[in-house]
Amino acid sequence: MKTLITQRLLLMVMCALMGCTVPSLVTQQEAAPFHVVLGSNNHGYPASQVQLVSSVQGERFETRHSRLRYPECMSGYLEFVEFSGYLDSSAVAALGGLVQNIKPCVRKNGSRVVSPVYMNSSQGELALGMQVGQWFKTQAIELIVTEGQLCESACAVAFLGASYKRVQATGRAVLHFNGEIGLGLDCARSTDMMPFKSYLMSVKGSQSGQTLYNQALTYCRNGKGWDLS
């Protein structure tokens, strides 16, 4: 025992004299690079699996078109689009351009996988939201509001129109009806509500559209709006 202690002391003295380099312990592995979806907290994909195709950066918005490695697709990848920011005419034009450039994912059996479109937007022009919702209905995309994202105002109107839609984890889609302070639709103003009613009927059909409209009216005086999540 004494011999072992003596050997250790000698080793320490030699290191001090000769300048030994002691390797530091690795206590935590570095995280792999990660592609975080625009506007989300931490939802995304390993960066090694994602290839950026194109992106548009506006004054009040950003949108990206990317490819994700996806063996189920005959092409080997699934394309998706992300949007975050204010929905105005320039944002809609940029978003529409990227969505139209999505190449479909087709499985070997001929079935098609709808392409994800992630939306994070809390402000925008409501009339544009209706136009976008009508257009989303005709597209083979799934509108997703994911972890940490918020879809309000024009985004929520568009959300109602999409044929395929989903809210994940802590994501929220909320339609506001406090239009008197400029945040949504004013239930007392026919110029707001009649176009909205027509929109719901055009994207959902007469019966379902009327049901949704009646449900929406119950939230007219609710300051928290209609949570579509």
Side-chain angles (χ1 to χ4, degrees):
M1 183 67 178
K2 290 182 178 180
T3 301
L4 181 60
I5 293 173
T6 302
Q7 289 176 344
R8 288 181 177 175
L9 288 172
L10 287 173
L11 179 61
M12 291 174 65
V13 171
M14 290 176 65
C15 282
L17 293 173
M18 300 176 63
C20 294
T21 303
V22 181
S24 59
L25 294 176
V26 178
T27 58
Q28 184 177 0
Q29 292 184 345
E30 291 185 6
F34 200 67
H35 178 100
V36 179
V37 170
L38 290 174
S40 72
N41 290 338
N42 53 21
H43 180 79
Y45 309 95
S48 61
Q49 304 295 311
V50 175
Q51 176 189 358
L52 180 65
V53 177
S54 61
S55 64
V56 180
Q57 177 76 60
E59 290 186 8
R60 295 185 289 178
F61 73 90
E62 182 178 1
T63 185
R64 299 190 301 212
H65 172 200
S66 303
R67 293 182 182 135
L68 172 68
R69 288 184 191 173
Y70 203 73
E72 288 187 30
C73 305
M74 288 194 293
S75 63
Y77 54 82
L78 173 68
E79 299 195 359
F80 64 95
V81 167
E82 310 151 59
F83 177 89
S84 182
Y86 190 96
L87 269 176
D88 57 15
S89 57
S90 59
V92 169
L95 174 63
L98 297 191
V99 171
Q100 286 182 323
N101 287 333
I102 289 176
K103 294 180 180 177
C105 165
V106 181
R107 296 188 180 96
K108 292 181 180 179
N109 63 7
S111 63
R112 183 168 176 171
V113 179
V114 291
S115 300
V117 174
Y118 295 95
M119 293 289 291
N120 177 67
S121 177
S122 59
Q123 291 182 313
E125 301 171 18
L126 293 171
L128 282 176
M130 296 180 200
Q131 293 178 23
V132 173
Q134 289 174 326
W135 183 68
F136 276 157
K137 183 175 174 60
T138 67
Q139 304 299 304
I141 59 100
E142 181 180 26
L143 190 60
I144 300 176
V145 183
T146 192
E147 172 74 34
Q149 290 186 320
L150 179 62
C151 180
E152 289 184 313
S153 186
C155 180
V157 172
F159 182 88
L160 286 171
S163 295
Y164 306 98
K165 49 185 171 287
R166 180 158 44 110
V167 177
Q168 295 177 328
T170 60
R172 292 188 68 209
V174 184
L175 183 63
H176 289 288
F177 289 90
N178 47 349
E180 65 275 6
I181 57 175
L183 296 178
L185 299 167
D186 188 342
C187 301
R189 192 163 54 212
S190 62
T191 52
D192 277 7
M193 299 310 291
M194 289 303 98
F196 179 63
K197 180 178 180 180
S198 298
Y199 163 71
L200 289 178
M201 290 187 172
S202 69
V203 295
K204 298 296 183 183
S206 298
Q207 185 173 351
S208 296
Q210 183 66 55
T211 300
L212 280 173
Y213 181 70
N214 292 340
Q215 185 177 357
L217 290 177
T218 64
Y219 290 88
C220 280
R221 302 306 174 203
N222 186 334
K224 296 181 179 179
W226 179 12
D227 197 324
L228 307 176
S229 308

